[in-house]
Amino acid sequence: QVELVESGGGSVQAGGSLRLACKASGDTYNQNSCVGWFRQAPGKEREGLAALYGDGSDGRYFGGKESWYAGSAKGRFTVSRDNAENTVYLQMNDLKPEDTAMYYCSIDVGGSASLWLGYCPAGAWGQGTQVTVSS
């Protein structure tokens, strides 16, 4: 079982930055699995934002790519991971009011999922961290 705990959310003004963190733990946590971030605003569907692909040792196909970004995140958000700390980050710059949402990190735990971040299935996720951007 994998446990993910997000942190780093908060309230910022438009144009500001935040760095979200996601600490992973658990017996089945695989540092080589793909990880990612998605968000959900009230009354809206989940929106995939970014994924950092794994090394493919688990059999996943990643099209020869290392990462994936949604159009809304491209150029403003950057996903990274520190395997020594079992932590995944999402650096968010130039935040806009429409970025206001609950943000979740996710990890591939095998099999399929109802939400895919590029080639990475969002198989498990944490409790989320709230981001509020004011104009």
Side-chain angles (χ1 to χ4, degrees):
Q1 192 165 349
V2 176
E3 181 181 16
L4 302 173
V5 179
E6 299 94 337
S7 63
S11 297
V12 296
Q13 290 194 324
S17 298
L18 282 173
R19 188 174 82 151
L20 308 183
C22 173
K23 181 76 171 179
S25 62
D27 295 340
T28 59
Y29 173 65
N30 183 348
Q31 292 184 340
N32 296 315
S33 295
C34 63
V35 293
W37 291 87
F38 65 91
R39 66 188 178 189
Q40 188 166 27
K44 294 190 175 181
E45 296 285 326
R46 292 179 299 175
E47 178 189 10
L49 295 171
L52 200 57
Y53 292 150
D55 64 1
S57 59
D58 56 2
R60 285 290 184 198
Y61 171 78
F62 297 118
K65 299 179 180 179
E66 296 183 350
S67 63
W68 168 85
Y69 290 92
S72 58
K74 202 169 293 185
R76 298 190 301 131
F77 296 179
T78 303
V79 60
S80 62
R81 73 193 302 173
D82 181 344
N83 281 340
E85 298 292 330
N86 287 350
T87 301
V88 181
Y89 299 98
L90 184 69
Q91 176 67 42
M92 305 188 296
N93 299 324
D94 190 24
L95 284 161
K96 307 174 189 299
E98 52 265 41
D99 293 318
T100 296
M102 187 73 81
Y103 284 69
Y104 302 86
C105 72
S106 66
I107 190 169
D108 177 11
V109 293
S112 190
S114 58
L115 178 69
W116 286 74
L117 313 177
Y119 291 115
C120 183
W125 54 89
Q127 84 291 344
T129 186
Q130 176 69 38
V131 171
T132 303
V133 184
S134 58
S135 58

